[in-house]
């Protein structure tokens, strides 16, 4: 057991779980709604890769873009910081308090209470609930400047609560003023710092907001008081606070490093147990153990929230953290895969608080293990290449690995820059990072030029109109009347649009579904008193506003006109079939593959559906057949498809599936298919179908899409493809209804045609085709044997052309070979027949020249090196190559120089042999 070094016994020792629970319970008892942590993936916020504070899930509430059924909230939020002022990834491990993943405890007021209530509550929690010694607490407030007055109110409130006036310090904007962005709420903040040093006589104001490790900032209270663009007071000032659980645990457990708390000690002890090491080993080299412990937590939570290792965006961050953990583990002494064992401790330790860890536990562990094994292969190959680069740099007296080399390691071998830098630094070399970034930018620019972008919406334009929310009536029907609220043509707001113009239209009411959640938008027409608009796309550029994209086909359309909105009903019906089918497919996947098979993307179109899900292996044909069988049984059961609106938490508690990374409000729409507690009144035939199927159907998902009224309306479901789209992500493509019927008809027609051409009944086609393939293979073998016999007869003639350079026999000849494999077979045969000597062959294969050198074992690497021989000869034909001492090959472009190559063989061998 790792011994923790405690400061003097000045406070009660609380576990991290107790700290979390007491914080949440304290504010819940004071009228705060306990809100679960949101995903690490911020919903609908392109400005953030990950949630990095407790207020992220409430951002739109603070900005006034959404309303919630409560005005006070408290949460324990999962957070991740991997760059910027808050955390340099390279500091995780060497630093005693830096982390990637952490928990942020926070209480929030949305225009409810302000400083006068927030500060007394904070004082009570710190001094009475957590019983922190008052004499060790320091409080900071904003000192004011030319633009914003000093926060004297906060200072008075702390003193009134019981703080020593000398412990209330004033700082400037850098430390005590919070800004969200160039616009939006901002205001002063007040931070609480605890002195954890042993000598109170050494304590003083000099340590607050300094780098002195004895002063620990544990809580920040932000008072959103002004509008940033005008600095005018807000009508409804709000409160946002954040307390880092890891730091608070460090304080409450009397240690000087967060890695000595109960959040990390089990992870470090597990590493020591796996290595058979003791605490002295850890104390002598703490950094890698800490990095593995931290990164293990980050990896577990990221995968639990739907992120998988990859090469871009969030996926790349996960891959980088996971691979850094693996490399740090190797530094600590791990030679084989180990990280899944560390992640297992995270699941056991945190699963009760964050159930998604347990629910996806097997998938998390499998993903970690697969990625680690893949990286170990990359690491072995990359280190070999990098070692060669380092040797080359040192040979010429250099001190820097070029950006081109670093880029090639990343681009060709998947070797990350930070790992290249780390290994280079260990060898006393630097890496030209600027050159590397130039190459990366060139690659990104090529990607940007090649990419095709879908038409976007002018978010700023529509947001600035401040229109009332659009009422969507498409769940009830496909036809409705609406009033034109706004028109946009060519990026400008206009009063009317005329024939031939591309137009964007916002109505007050519409049955048109806007593209969302993988479901494509509706299409159709808008019919006004003076014109007709064909609608081919519908989007939501800003929350609540539905915008129709189309072209005025005849006449004109104007603001304030009443129009008849008519959705293409047949197209909508096909979309609904496919959308409901994706829910059935999702349920079947989880039933058959496991609950880890979570949706990772989808496309619901009128002609097909595509469903991406998390799974590390190919779905077997047997599993695909069982998935199809279940879905079609549920379709035949003709189960009602119902939906209702309810609170998010009630829906989740009832078993509804929420998609990772999707942002949900407090009121959600839950779509239910089957389930014992639904209002299902099945027919006798449907009941019989369910009973004969042998399994129960129950699907509940949070979904805003359009669906059929009963599962039977889907008609028929057929999987047409299963594939991999990324590491850990599989894809199923399927058809329903008329499209599935047409596909089945086409397959039947193909079978009939094959049957006719092969001359066998359909039931015997497989056997007949296998017999034909076996016959074809046998004839190919006979042909290969005949070709080889003819080739050997020609090779025997070549043995008569063997010459000598000194005492070394050699054969240099041009031969005819269909491919490189046959050329190597010829070389092997001639080398064996030669017994001792060198064979150099040249052949024209396709439009390229191929060179091959073979050296017998008695000479290879001792007197003649095949790789060096080829390296010298290949430039003659405009190529390059190399290889082992006994065998090497090369390719070239200039076949006219083959004779020169063969002429140079003797001299090149002699030069190598020193003759």
């Amino acid at each position: 057991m790792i011994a923790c070094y405690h400061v003097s016994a000045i406070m009660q020792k609380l576990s991290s779980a107790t700290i979390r629970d007491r914080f949440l319970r304290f504010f819940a008892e004071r009228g705060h709604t306990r809100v679960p942590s949101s995903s690490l993936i911020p919903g609908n916020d392109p400005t953030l890769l990950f949630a990095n504070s407790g207020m992220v899930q409430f951002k739109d509430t603070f900005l006034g873009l959404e309303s919630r059924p409560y005005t006070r909230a408290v949460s324990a939020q999962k957070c991740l910081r991997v760059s910027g002022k808050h955390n340099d990834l390279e500091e995780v491990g060497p630093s005693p308090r830096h982390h990637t993943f952490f928990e942020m405890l926070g209480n929030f007021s949305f225009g409810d209470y302000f400083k006068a209530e927030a500060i007394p509550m904070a004082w009570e929690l710190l001094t009475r609930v957590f019983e922190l010694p008052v004499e060790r607490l320091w409080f900071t407030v904003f000192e004011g400047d030319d633009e914003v007055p000093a926060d004297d109110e906060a200072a008075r409130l702390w003193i009134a609560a019981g703080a020593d006036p000398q412990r209330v310090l004033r700082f400037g904007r850098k430390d005590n003023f919070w800004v969200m962005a160039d616009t939006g709420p901002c205001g002063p903040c007040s931070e609480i710092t605890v002195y954890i040093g042993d000598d109170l006589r050494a304590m003083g104001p000099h340590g607050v907001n300094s780098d002195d490790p004895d002063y620990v900032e544990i809580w920040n209270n932000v008072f959103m008081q002004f509008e940033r663009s005008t600095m005018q007071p807000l009508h409804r000032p709000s409160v946002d606070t954040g307390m880092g659980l890891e730091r608070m645990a460090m304080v409450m457990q009397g240690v000087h490093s967060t890695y000595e708390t109960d959040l990390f000690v089990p992870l470090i002890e597990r590493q020591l147990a796996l290595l058979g090491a003791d605490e002295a080993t850890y104390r002598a080299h703490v950094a890698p153990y800490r990095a593995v412990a931290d990164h293990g937590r980050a990896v577990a939570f990221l995968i639990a929230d739907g992120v998988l290792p990859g090469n871009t965006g969030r996926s790349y961050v996960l891959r980088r953290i996971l691979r850094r953990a693996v490399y740090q583990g190797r530094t600590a002494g791990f030679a084989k895969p180990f990280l899944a064992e560390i992640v297992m401790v995270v699941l056991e330790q945190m699963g009760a608080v964050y159930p998604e860890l347990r629910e996806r536990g097997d998938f998390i562990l499998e993903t970690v293990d697969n990625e680690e094994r893949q990286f170990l292969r990359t690491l072995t190959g990359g280190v070999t290449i990098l070692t060669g680069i380092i040797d080359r740099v040192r040979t010429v007296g250099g001190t820097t690995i070029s950006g081109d080399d670093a880029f090639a390691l990343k681009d060709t071998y998947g070797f990350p820059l930070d790992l290249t830098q780390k290994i280079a630094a260990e060898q006393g070399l630097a890496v030209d990072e600027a050159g590397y970034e130039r190459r990366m930018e060139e690659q990104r620019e090529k990607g940007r030029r090649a990419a095709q972008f879908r038409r976007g919406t002018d978010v700023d334009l529509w947001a600035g109109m401040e229109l009332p929310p659009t009422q969507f009536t498409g769940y009830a029907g496909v036809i409705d009347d609406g009033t034109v609220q706004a028109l946009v043509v060519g990026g400008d707001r206009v009063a009317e649009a005329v024939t031939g113009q591309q137009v964007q239209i916002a109505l007050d009411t519409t049955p048109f579904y806007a593209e969302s959640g993988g479901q494509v938008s509706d299409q159709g027409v808008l019919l006004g008193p003076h014109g007709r608009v064909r609608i081919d796309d519908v989007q939501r550029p800003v929350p609540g506003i539905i915008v129709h994209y189309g072209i005025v086909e005849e006449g004109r359309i104007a603001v304030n006109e009443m129009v008849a909105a008519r959705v293409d009903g047949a197209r909508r019906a096909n979309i609904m079939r496919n959308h409901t089918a994706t829910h059935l497919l999702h349920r079947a996947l989880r039933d058959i593959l496991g609950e880890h098979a979570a949706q990772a993307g989808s496309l619901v179109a009128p002609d097909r559906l595509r469903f991406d899900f998390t799974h590390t292996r190919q779905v077997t044909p047997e599993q695909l057949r069982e998935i199809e069988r279940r879905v079609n049984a549920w379709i035949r059961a003709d189960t009602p498809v119902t939906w209702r609106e309810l609170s998010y938490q009630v829906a989740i508690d009832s078993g509804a599936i929420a998609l990772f990374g999707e942002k949900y409000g407090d009121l959600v729409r839950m779509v239910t298919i089957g389930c014992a507690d639904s209002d299902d009144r099945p027919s006798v035939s449907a009941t019989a179908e369910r009973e004969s199927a042998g399994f129960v159907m129950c699907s509940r998902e949070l979904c805003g899409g359009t669906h059929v009224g009963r599962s039977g309306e889907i008609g028929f479901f057929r999987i047409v493809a299963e594939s991999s789209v990324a590491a850990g992500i599989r894809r199923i493509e399927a058809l329903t209804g008329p499209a599935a019927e047409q596909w089945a008809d086409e397959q039947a027609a193909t079978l009939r045609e094959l049957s006719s051409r092969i001359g066998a009944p359909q039931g015997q086609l497989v056997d007949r085709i296998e017999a034909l393939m076996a016959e074809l293979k046998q004839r190919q073998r006979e042909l290969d044997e005949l070709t080889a016999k003819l080739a050997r007869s020609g090779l025997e003639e070549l043995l008569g052309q063997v010459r000598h350079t000194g005492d070394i026999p050699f054969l240099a000849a041009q031969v005819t070979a269909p491919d490189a494999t046959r050329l190597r077979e010829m070389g092997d045969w001639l080398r064996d027949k030669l017994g001792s000597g060198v064979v150099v062959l040249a052949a024209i294969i396709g439009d390229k020249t191929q060179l091959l050198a073979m050296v017998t074992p008695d000479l290879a690497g001792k007197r003649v090196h095949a790789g060096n021989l080829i390296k010298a000869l290949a430039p003659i034909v405009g190529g390059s190559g190399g290889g082992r001492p006994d065998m090497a090959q090369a390719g070239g472009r200039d076949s006219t120089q083959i004779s020169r190559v063969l002429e140079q063989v003797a001299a090149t061998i002699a030069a190598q042999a020193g003759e």
Side-chain angles (χ1 to χ4, degrees):
M1 176 101 181
I2 293 176
C4 300
Y5 301 110
H6 296 271
V7 297
S8 55
I10 56 174
M11 58 198 76
Q12 58 176 324
K13 183 177 179 180
L14 300 179
S15 69
S16 56
T18 300
I19 296 169
R20 185 193 299 112
D21 181 67
R22 287 192 182 182
F23 186 97
L24 296 172
R25 190 149 34 91
F26 176 85
F27 286 102
E29 291 170 351
R30 286 153 182 79
H32 292 66
T33 297
R34 188 165 172 170
V35 180
S37 171
S38 66
S39 168
L40 281 170
I41 314 307
N44 300 336
D45 188 345
T47 66
L48 283 177
L49 272 178
F50 304 104
N52 58 11
S53 68
M55 66 83 64
V56 168
Q57 68 167 310
F58 304 114
K59 181 178 177 181
D60 286 347
T61 308
F62 282 122
L63 291 172
L65 298 177
E66 70 175 10
S67 60
R68 292 179 178 247
Y70 47 81
T71 56
R72 299 180 175 205
V74 62
S75 70
Q77 173 64 45
K78 300 176 291 188
C79 298
L80 192 79
R81 291 177 181 170
V82 288
S83 62
K85 66 177 182 179
H86 298 292
N87 188 18
D88 181 346
L89 187 60
E90 292 305 314
E91 286 297 309
V92 177
S95 165
R97 298 173 189 173
H98 274 76
H99 299 292
T100 54
F101 174 85
F102 61 97
E103 291 180 80
M104 186 71 83
L105 309 176
N107 59 290
F108 307 89
S109 164
F110 312 117
D112 187 324
Y113 61 84
F114 202 47
K115 299 175 191 177
E117 193 170 347
I119 288 176
M121 282 194 293
W123 177 267
E124 182 182 0
L125 178 65
L126 292 171
T127 62
R128 297 181 187 173
V129 176
F130 291 134
E131 299 180 6
L132 291 174
V134 174
E135 65 273 14
R136 289 179 173 270
L137 296 177
W138 295 82
F139 308 88
T140 66
V141 299
F142 181 54
E143 67 181 3
D145 55 24
D146 294 340
E147 190 176 23
V148 181
D151 195 0
D152 295 329
E153 180 186 6
R156 287 194 302 270
L157 287 166
W158 282 120
I159 295 168
D164 183 339
Q166 294 184 339
R167 300 288 182 80
V168 181
L169 309 179
R170 297 172 183 267
F171 289 87
R173 284 186 179 250
K174 175 178 175 292
D175 296 300
N176 281 88
F177 198 87
W178 180 87
V179 175
M180 179 185 289
D182 292 336
T183 60
C186 66
C189 59
S190 183
E191 297 178 339
I192 298 94
T193 297
V194 180
Y195 177 71
I196 63 171
D198 290 325
D199 187 359
L200 281 175
R201 292 172 300 178
M203 181 180 68
H206 62 276
V208 179
N209 283 339
S210 75
D211 292 330
D212 190 329
D214 283 341
Y215 296 81
V216 182
E217 178 207 324
I218 58 169
W219 202 2
N220 188 15
N221 283 243
V222 175
F223 304 117
M224 299 183 185
Q225 195 168 345
F226 305 102
E227 162 53 49
R228 179 70 182 92
S229 58
T230 64
M231 293 309 294
Q232 293 299 308
L234 296 172
H235 296 300
R236 299 174 68 239
S238 300
V239 177
D240 158 29
T241 84
M243 174 188 285
L245 176 61
E246 290 74 13
R247 286 193 168 208
M248 190 62 178
M250 180 182 71
V251 170
M252 298 304 302
Q253 294 171 23
V255 292
H256 279 274
S257 167
T258 50
Y259 290 100
E260 306 291 331
T261 68
D262 64 345
L263 289 165
F264 292 93
V265 167
L267 299 168
I268 295 171
E269 289 181 340
R270 182 60 178 152
Q271 294 176 64
L272 295 175
L274 290 172
L275 288 169
D278 57 15
E279 184 180 348
T281 305
Y282 165 65
R283 295 293 174 195
H285 197 36
V286 298
Y289 294 96
R290 289 173 173 174
V292 169
D294 172 272
H295 294 356
R297 286 174 18 122
V299 164
F301 278 94
L302 280 168
I303 298 174
D305 276 354
V307 182
L308 292 172
N311 294 324
T312 59
R314 298 181 179 102
S315 296
Y316 176 69
V317 173
L318 169 58
R319 172 163 283 172
R320 185 181 177 196
I321 293 173
L322 192 153
R323 291 186 169 190
R324 186 171 186 269
V326 173
Y327 187 77
Q328 292 291 334
R330 286 187 65 141
T331 302
F334 286 104
K336 296 180 180 179
F338 72 94
L339 191 56
E341 292 282 349
I342 309 306
V343 171
M344 173 67 81
V345 179
V346 180
L347 306 187
E348 296 168 349
Q349 183 184 34
M350 307 287 279
V353 182
Y354 298 101
E356 61 270 24
L357 292 172
R358 288 181 174 172
E359 291 166 2
R360 309 195 80 204
D362 290 344
F363 179 72
I364 293 170
L365 295 173
E366 186 175 10
T367 301
V368 169
D369 187 62
N370 288 343
E371 179 69 13
E372 180 175 11
R373 291 178 185 277
Q374 178 183 329
F375 178 56
L376 289 175
R377 292 190 292 270
T378 298
L379 189 62
T380 301
V383 167
T384 301
I385 301 298
L386 180 55
T387 300
I389 293 172
I390 290 172
D391 291 343
R392 189 175 73 234
V393 172
R394 282 178 167 167
T395 299
V396 299
T399 59
T400 303
I401 293 174
S402 72
D404 288 344
D405 282 335
F407 174 78
L409 279 165
K410 169 67 173 66
D411 191 51
T412 305
Y413 303 101
F415 210 69
L417 174 65
D418 55 337
L419 194 51
T420 299
Q421 291 173 316
K422 182 174 181 62
I423 295 175
E426 291 170 354
Q427 300 298 319
L429 299 177
V431 177
D432 178 12
E433 189 170 352
Y436 171 86
E437 287 299 333
R438 280 195 300 272
R439 291 298 307 276
M440 287 296 293
E441 181 56 33
E442 290 172 7
Q443 187 180 65
R444 285 190 288 265
E445 181 60 31
K446 289 179 182 178
R448 283 193 288 267
R449 287 197 300 266
Q452 299 294 320
F453 294 97
R454 183 184 61 83
R455 179 187 65 218
T457 55
D458 192 335
V459 174
D460 293 337
L461 176 63
W462 285 103
M465 294 185 194
E466 297 184 352
L467 298 174
T470 309
Q471 182 183 0
F472 175 63
T473 60
Y475 294 136
V478 294
I479 299 175
D480 206 344
D481 295 332
T483 301
V484 178
Q485 300 287 90
L487 298 171
V488 172
V489 174
D492 297 319
R493 190 173 183 178
V494 297
E496 71 171 18
V498 298
T499 302
Q501 287 186 318
Q502 296 280 349
V503 62
Q504 301 174 27
I505 305 167
L507 306 178
D508 64 341
T509 302
T510 182
F512 279 81
Y513 180 84
E515 180 181 347
S516 179
Q519 178 176 329
V520 300
S521 73
D522 282 328
Q523 295 179 354
V525 296
L526 300 181
L527 301 175
H530 307 291
R532 170 190 175 97
V533 182
R534 186 182 76 247
I535 302 300
D536 57 21
D537 192 16
V538 187
Q539 298 290 329
R540 267 194 190 88
V542 293
I545 305 300
I546 296 176
V547 177
H548 309 70
Y549 292 79
I551 185 169
V552 183
E553 290 188 321
E554 58 183 63
R556 62 179 178 81
I557 185 170
V559 173
N560 296 326
E561 282 184 347
M562 178 74 75
V563 298
R566 297 184 178 179
V567 173
D568 182 336
R571 184 175 181 276
R572 163 76 81 83
N574 286 330
I575 292 172
M576 292 193 300
R577 289 188 184 95
N578 285 330
H579 201 153
T580 305
T582 63
H583 285 224
L584 300 182
L585 172 60
H586 194 184
R587 184 65 266 163
L589 285 167
R590 285 177 176 249
D591 287 349
I592 294 166
L593 304 182
E595 289 296 325
H596 68 271
Q599 182 172 342
S602 68
L603 171 68
V604 178
D607 57 336
R608 69 194 189 284
L609 68 90
R610 188 178 71 215
F611 192 83
D612 298 344
F613 56 98
T614 51
H615 191 57
T616 56
R617 302 186 188 91
Q618 180 179 2
V619 184
T620 66
E622 293 75 17
Q623 289 171 329
L624 289 174
R625 283 195 293 271
E626 178 60 18
I627 290 166
E628 271 190 345
R629 188 176 78 86
R630 290 198 178 208
V631 172
N632 281 310
W634 291 333
I635 290 171
R636 291 191 299 271
D638 197 27
T639 302
V641 180
T642 61
W643 65 270
R644 62 188 176 114
E645 290 187 342
L646 66 171
S647 76
Y648 174 83
Q649 198 55 49
V650 170
I652 296 300
D653 291 344
S654 71
I657 296 173
L659 303 186
F660 294 110
E662 194 74 19
K663 181 179 180 180
Y664 297 101
D666 289 286
L667 191 65
V668 296
R669 181 173 184 262
M670 182 175 73
V671 176
T672 300
I673 312 172
C675 303
D677 56 351
S678 69
D679 297 328
D680 188 359
R681 298 292 184 270
S683 65
V684 173
S685 60
T687 301
E689 180 65 49
R690 296 181 194 185
E691 292 175 352
S692 65
F695 39 78
V696 177
M697 170 61 196
C698 182
S699 167
R700 286 191 177 96
E701 291 196 30
L702 303 188
C703 179
T706 58
H707 291 269
V708 298
R710 301 185 71 92
S711 62
E713 296 174 39
I714 298 171
F716 178 47
F717 172 85
R718 177 64 69 185
I719 295 172
V720 296
E722 191 275 342
S723 61
S724 171
V725 292
I729 301 289
R730 307 297 300 183
R731 170 175 292 173
I732 281 180
E733 298 173 68
L735 305 172
T736 67
E741 292 174 8
Q742 181 180 347
W743 180 88
D745 289 343
E746 291 170 353
Q747 299 302 303
T750 300
L751 282 174
R752 286 193 295 270
E753 179 68 15
L754 282 173
S755 177
S756 174
R757 292 195 179 195
I758 291 177
Q762 290 185 23
Q764 300 174 15
L765 274 177
V766 173
D767 292 340
R768 179 60 179 143
I769 290 173
E770 287 181 347
L772 289 172
M773 290 177 65
E775 181 180 343
L776 180 62
K777 286 180 180 179
Q778 177 60 31
R779 292 186 179 182
Q780 185 63 49
R781 279 195 296 270
E782 294 171 356
L783 179 61
D784 290 343
E785 290 174 2
L786 180 59
T787 303
K789 179 183 269 188
L790 291 172
R792 280 195 297 274
S793 65
L795 293 178
E796 289 173 353
E797 295 178 4
L798 286 178
L799 291 174
Q801 301 178 21
V802 173
R803 294 183 287 161
H804 288 74
T805 176
D807 62 345
I808 300 176
F810 75 92
L811 171 63
Q814 181 174 354
V815 296
T816 300
D819 52 44
T821 300
R822 188 59 57 83
L823 182 64
R824 284 193 298 273
E825 291 175 356
M826 291 179 176
D828 288 337
W829 190 88
L830 288 168
R831 179 199 57 207
D832 295 343
K833 288 293 184 181
L834 201 57
S836 176
V838 179
V839 175
V840 176
L841 301 179
I844 300 174
I845 300 175
D847 58 352
K848 291 184 179 180
T849 299
Q850 293 287 328
L851 301 181
L852 173 73
M854 295 271 192
V855 181
T856 54
D858 61 316
L859 301 175
K862 301 165 187 171
R863 299 185 65 188
V864 182
H865 190 292
N868 294 336
L869 183 60
I870 282 293
K871 194 178 294 183
L873 296 173
I876 299 174
V877 290
S880 61
R884 304 190 307 267
D886 62 328
M887 193 279 285
Q889 54 192 353
R893 299 180 301 275
D894 191 355
S895 60
T896 63
Q897 299 300 312
I898 288 178
S899 58
R900 280 190 58 209
V901 170
L902 301 179
E903 291 169 1
Q904 292 294 319
V905 170
T908 307
I909 293 174
Q912 280 197 33
E915 297 180 353

